[in-house]
Structure formats: C-alpha cells, structure tokens
C-alpha cells in the first residue's frame, strides 16, 4: 500500500538545523521524497550597508557574514582591497595572517566535531571539542582582543604584532590539541554508531560534485584533490609544506575522514609559520580612512575556509566607498541546489547530519 | 601562464569575434561580450576548454551609465586561470539569458538577482520569493533604492533614541545622574 505524503517543516528554529533557515520536507513514512529550502530569516543586507560605508567601516561588517568562521572573510576583504589598490603587505604580516587563518580553521573544526556528532545524538564529543576550542579562542583574545569577531586582518597587514611570548603559548596549545585529536579519533571514528549513521549516507558522486560547484571537504570526500591554498595560492601558502587529504565514497563518513586529517594539517602549518616567521613591520599604513579612495577597478579573491572555497568580489568606482561587495559563501552552492537534491531518498533523521557535513551556514546565503 | 592565456584568447576570439579581452596581472583574464553570447561562451569554456567550475556570478549596478553589469567568473582546475566573462545590460529593461542548465547552482544566483536587482532571466523556473518576504517595493539592491530613507519611513525610533541624539544625555535626564568626567569627552 502506498503511504500518503506528509509535509514536515524543519527550522527555522530547530536544534538540528545549522542556522536560521527552513527545509520543507515532503515525506512518505520516514523517507524524504521532496525537499525545498527557504531562506531569508537572517537577511541583514550587509552588502547594501557596505555601499554606504567607507572602506574601513565596511571592513568591520566582513567578519559578521558567518559566525563560526570570521577570519577568512576578513582576509578576503583585505586582499581584495589590496589587489585593487596595489598595496604591498609586509612579509611578516602574511605569515601572521596564515597563522590566524589556520587557527580559525582549527577552531571551526572543533565546532564541526561538536555539530556533526551532536546531529547524531553523540553529545560527549561536542562537550570535549567546544571546551578545547576555548584554548584557541584564548589565543585569539590575547592576539586580537576578541574571541569570535577579531577584525584583525585588515587592509595593509594585520592590526598589531604578536604579544611577547605568544609563540610559546601557541605551540603549547598546538601540542595539547594534537594529543586531543587522538582522543577524538577514538571517540568518533571507532564508534559503531557514528560509522553506521554516516557510511553510505548523503552520498555525492564525482559528477554531481563538479556539476553543482561543490567545494572543500565535500569535494575532497569524492576523491577530487582540490584546495585553493594549493591551486590558487595566496599569502605564503606556496612556501609551506602540507598535504591535501582526500577520501573516497562521497558520504558523510568520507567528509569526516578528510576533516579529521585536515585538522592535523592545520596544526602542522601553524608550527611551520611560527618557525619561519621573519621579523619586520606588520602593517603598511593606510591613509586617513575618511579620505581614503581606491582607484577604479575590481577584484575577485578566494580563500579556503574549513568548509571550502569562499569567493569575494569587490568593485570600486574610484570613490571612498565600495561600489559593490559580493560574497560567495560555501553554503551558497551547498545549501540550496545541492541540499535539495541530496535529501531526496534520505531518512528524516539524517537531514541534520547531512547539513552539518555539507557545512551549510545560512547567514552566508542571504547575507 | 602567458602562453595559456594567449592560447585561450585565440580560441575565444576564433569562436566569438565580438569578444574583447582585458589581460590582468596574475591568473586573471577578462572577456567583454554581448549578453546574447553569454550561454554559448560559458558552454564553450566549460565543455571545450575545461573551465568546469563556476566560481561566482555577480551583478553591479552602474546607475550613472543606466546599465547593469553581470560578471561570470569561471575557473579551470587544469589551467589554473580565472576567467571573467562580463556583459552590460540595459537598466530600464533588464533581461538576461538563463544559464542554470549549464551549472545548476547558477539558479540560486539568478533567483537572487531577480529579486534584489529586478533582472529577469528568460525561462527561469523558480518560486517568486527568495530572501525577501511580501516585498512589493523596488528591488532593494539597486543603487537608487535609498535604505536610510526607507528605514526612516518604515520604522520608528524609541523615544529618546532618535538618530544623532546623545544617549548619555538622555540617560542623565531620565535618571538625574551626572555624566562622569571621563565620559564627558565622548559627548556630542
């Protein structure tokens, strides 16, 4: 007997959803037959606001695009402004930027560990990893004054140099976190529930991945080696030694395997950066922000965040405000067309796990 | 890099005579084309030249020129070049060819531009609303939409918190407390 289809609304307020968006599911029994996403609960019109603010005031909005990952956005803005203006960045600032970006990646990995496991009802992991994330946030607080919003990587370099003794404290934290990652592996990757709930669930095949513009760990989880840090290197990534892990299968499990190794690579990069960092200035001073104008032109820069490629387009008409600022977040590709296709045929209880594994961050979609 | 770029320019120019190239430093190359060429040049780039990744689509409102500029940014993982395909359309009658059959993710961009810039995409099948809800005003991302005026008309300030009022003074009046010396220098 054919079961009657029912409509089920998940979100916008729901612990299983990754932010303020809604997924409208048409279900037959427990199986999803159609999924429709609805966004717009978090539209803050940042891009419009930026058109009314000067170049420096616009920068303060950048980190607010997506809360779990604030630094890639700041760095994108800084690099886009520098590209339009042709402003040089001191070498030391580039190393510090890479360190901050990788620390941000680690902090974001920690949140992902919690979210991915939490979506499957495994709450211990979240308590561990969010607790450990605080050690990274402590470093951020010392370096930038803020724990989540840093506003540290700005056009021309970074806001200030490393505090005294920061290197040792950062290295100590890295040693601690590296040990903790082993504990995480035991808790997560040797857990039968985690394996059963993730293997073969939310499968993206290679062709779909390329067709849908999939990026980051989701693409690497399909066995495609792609990373902006290697393919289109920025800052000093071309001078650093790290590998880009891939996995086969394209399911949640494969993405988790990729992220597990990437967290270790981030620690490796931070150690190298701290070791190789040259002395010198960290900031190429910008003019008076009220009078600061950029030449006419545009730039498109890309940054590899934890969830994949973040693109940022910035155009100047020769004035003291951006003509157009347009962010392309990871969720823009993953959160609508891909998610709607991927959910069909899956179980209701896996929606949250799939959204977490894709890295859907709704504030990026509507901005 | 230069060799790849020269080769690419040759290929594009052979097939699309009206395309004009603008070369940039690094791995960026721009092509300016007519709007009718957009689906064919993007298909050509994707299927024949390996530019398989649609990295971004953006729209810029050039109010003073009476035009919208649409920029399609594609990336080739093999050649490692970013190609910008740019076109300008009339602002009064903004109609663009649809490309969501080439890259499904373009669908999302097109929905957004339709709603926020008022650009119509021929043959786009999608729900009317994307980000905005019950919106019947002008498309809000257009440059001639004045956000500040709209806000002033639509919303009201809490009494005592109107724009350009000093919050400290209001609090002082309400509570009778003196502003401390260190805070006086911040008063407007």
């Amino acid at each position: 007997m054919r079961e009657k289809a029912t409509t089920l609304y998940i979100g916008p307020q729901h612990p299983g959803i990754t932010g303020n968006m809604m997924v409208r599911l048409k279900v037959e029994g427990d199986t999803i037959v159609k999924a429709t996403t609805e966004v717009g609960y978090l539209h803050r019109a940042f891009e419009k606001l930026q058109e009314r603010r000067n170049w420096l005031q616009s920068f303060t909005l950048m980190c607010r695009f997506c809360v779990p990952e604030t630094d890639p956005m700041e760095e994108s803005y800084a690099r886009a402004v520098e590209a339009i203006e042709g402003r040089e960045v001191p070498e030391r600032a580039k190393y510090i930027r890479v360190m901050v970006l990788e620390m941000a990646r680690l902090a974001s990995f920690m949140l992902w560990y919690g979210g991915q496991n939490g979506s499957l009802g495994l709450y211990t992991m979240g308590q561990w990893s969010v607790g450990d994330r605080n050690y990274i946030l402590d470093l951020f607080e010392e370096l930038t004054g803020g724990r989540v919003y840093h506003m540290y990587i700005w056009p021309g370099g970074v806001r200030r140099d490393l505090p005294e003794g920061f290197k040792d404290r950062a290295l100590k934290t890295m040693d601690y976190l590296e040990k903790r990652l082993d504990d995480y592996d035991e808790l997560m990757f040797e857990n039968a529930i985690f394996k059963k709930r993730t293997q073969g669930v939310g499968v993206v095949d290679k062709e779909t991945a390329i067709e849908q513009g999939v990026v980051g760990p989701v693409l690497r989880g399909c066995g495609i080696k792609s990373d902006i840090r290697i393919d289109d290197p920025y800052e000093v990534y071309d001078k650093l030694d790290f590998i880009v892990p891939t996995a086969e299968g394209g399911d949640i499990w494969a993405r988790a395997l990729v992220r597990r190794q990437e967290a270790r690579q981030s620690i490796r990069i931070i150690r190298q950066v701290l070791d190789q960092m040259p002395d010198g200035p960290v900031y190429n001073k910008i003019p008076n922000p009220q009078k600061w104008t950029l030449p006419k032109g545009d730039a498109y820069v890309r940054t590899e965040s934890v969830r994949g490629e973040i693109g940022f387009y910035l155009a100047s008409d020769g004035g003291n405000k951006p003509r157009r600022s347009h962010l392309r977040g990871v969720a823009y590709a993953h959160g609508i067309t891909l998610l709607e296709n991927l959910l069909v045929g899956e179980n209701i209880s896996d929606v949250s796990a799939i959204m977490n594994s894709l890295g859907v961050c709704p504030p990026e979609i509507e901005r | 890099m230069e060799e790849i770029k020269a080769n690419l320019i040759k290929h594009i120019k052979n097939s699309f005579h009206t395309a004009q190239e603008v070369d940039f430093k690094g791995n960026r190359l721009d092509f300016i084309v007519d709007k009718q060429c957009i689906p064919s040049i993007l298909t050509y780039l994707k299927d024949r030249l390996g530019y398989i990744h649609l990295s971004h689509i953006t729209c810029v409102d050039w109010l003073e020129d009476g035009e919208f500029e649409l920029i399609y940014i594609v990336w080739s993982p093999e050649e490692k070049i970013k190609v910008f395909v740019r076109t300008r359309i009339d602002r009064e009658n903004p109609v663009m060819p649809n490309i969501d059959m080439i890259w499904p993710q373009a669908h999302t961009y097109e929905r957004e531009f339709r709603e926020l810039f008022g650009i119509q995409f021929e043959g786009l099948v999608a729900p009317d609303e994307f980000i905005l809800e019950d919106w019947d005003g002008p498309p809000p991302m257009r440059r001639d939409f004045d956000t500040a005026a709209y806000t002033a008309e639509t919303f009201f300030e809490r009494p005592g918190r109107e724009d350009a009022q000093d919050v400290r003074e209001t609090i002082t009046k309400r509570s009778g407390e003196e502003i401390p010396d260190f805070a006086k220098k911040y008063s407007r």
Side-chain angles (χ1 to χ4, degrees), chain A residues 49-62:
Chain A
L49 282 174
Q50 284 183 312
E51 291 176 12
R52 298 175 57 86
R53 293 168 163 229
N54 70 35
W55 293 105
L56 197 62
Q57 289 168 333
S58 300
F59 153 75
T60 58
L61 289 173
M62 284 312 294

Side-chain angles (χ1 to χ4, degrees), chain A residues 117-129:
Chain A
N117 283 274
S119 67
L120 301 170
L122 309 166
Y123 296 115
T124 314
M125 190 69 204
Q127 287 158 11
W128 283 12
S129 65

Side-chain angles (χ1 to χ4, degrees), chain B residues 100-183:
Chain B
D100 70 356
M101 68 298 277
I102 310 174
W103 282 286
Q105 51 154 328
H107 188 77
T108 317
Y109 289 96
E110 290 176 357
R111 279 176 75 186
E112 184 180 325
F113 296 153
R114 186 176 69 181
E115 189 170 77
L116 299 182
F117 286 94
I119 300 174
Q120 294 304 320
F121 290 87
E122 290 162 338
L124 174 67
V125 181
D128 284 344
E129 284 185 350
F130 180 51
I131 292 170
L132 307 174
E133 195 177 8
D134 296 335
W135 179 263
D136 51 7
M141 275 302 281
R142 289 191 176 197
R143 296 283 289 189
D144 46 4
F145 178 78
D146 189 343
T147 320
Y150 175 79
T151 313
E153 271 169 32
T154 317
F155 305 106
F156 61 89
E157 297 280 346
R158 220 165 4 137
R161 295 294 297 273
E162 287 90 356
D163 275 0
Q165 282 215 349
D166 194 323
V167 177
R168 287 183 192 82
E169 270 175 25
T170 312
I171 294 171
T172 313
K173 269 185 215 156
R174 196 189 300 154
S175 66
E177 282 176 35
E178 272 287 296
I179 301 177
D181 284 344
F182 72 87

Side-chain angles (χ1 to χ4, degrees), chain A residues 319-332:
Chain A
N320 66 344
K321 297 184 183 79
R323 181 74 193 205
R324 174 82 163 115
S325 140
H326 191 181
L327 185 95
R328 183 256 200 215
V330 178
Y332 207 79

Side-chain angles (χ1 to χ4, degrees), chain A residues 256-268:
Chain A
L257 285 178
V258 170
R259 287 189 170 107
R260 167 201 192 181
Q261 296 174 63
E262 279 182 8
R264 286 191 160 74
Q265 292 300 319
S266 286
I267 294 181
R268 187 175 162 193

Side-chain angles (χ1 to χ4, degrees), chain A residues 48 298 309 324 332 367, chain B residues 28 55 59 61 112 142:
Chain A
K48 183 79 181 173
D298 63 351
E309 166 194 332
R324 174 82 163 115
Y332 207 79
R367 311 178 300 281
Chain B
R28 170 179 170 182
S55 194
C59 175
D61 183 359
E112 184 180 325
R142 289 191 176 197

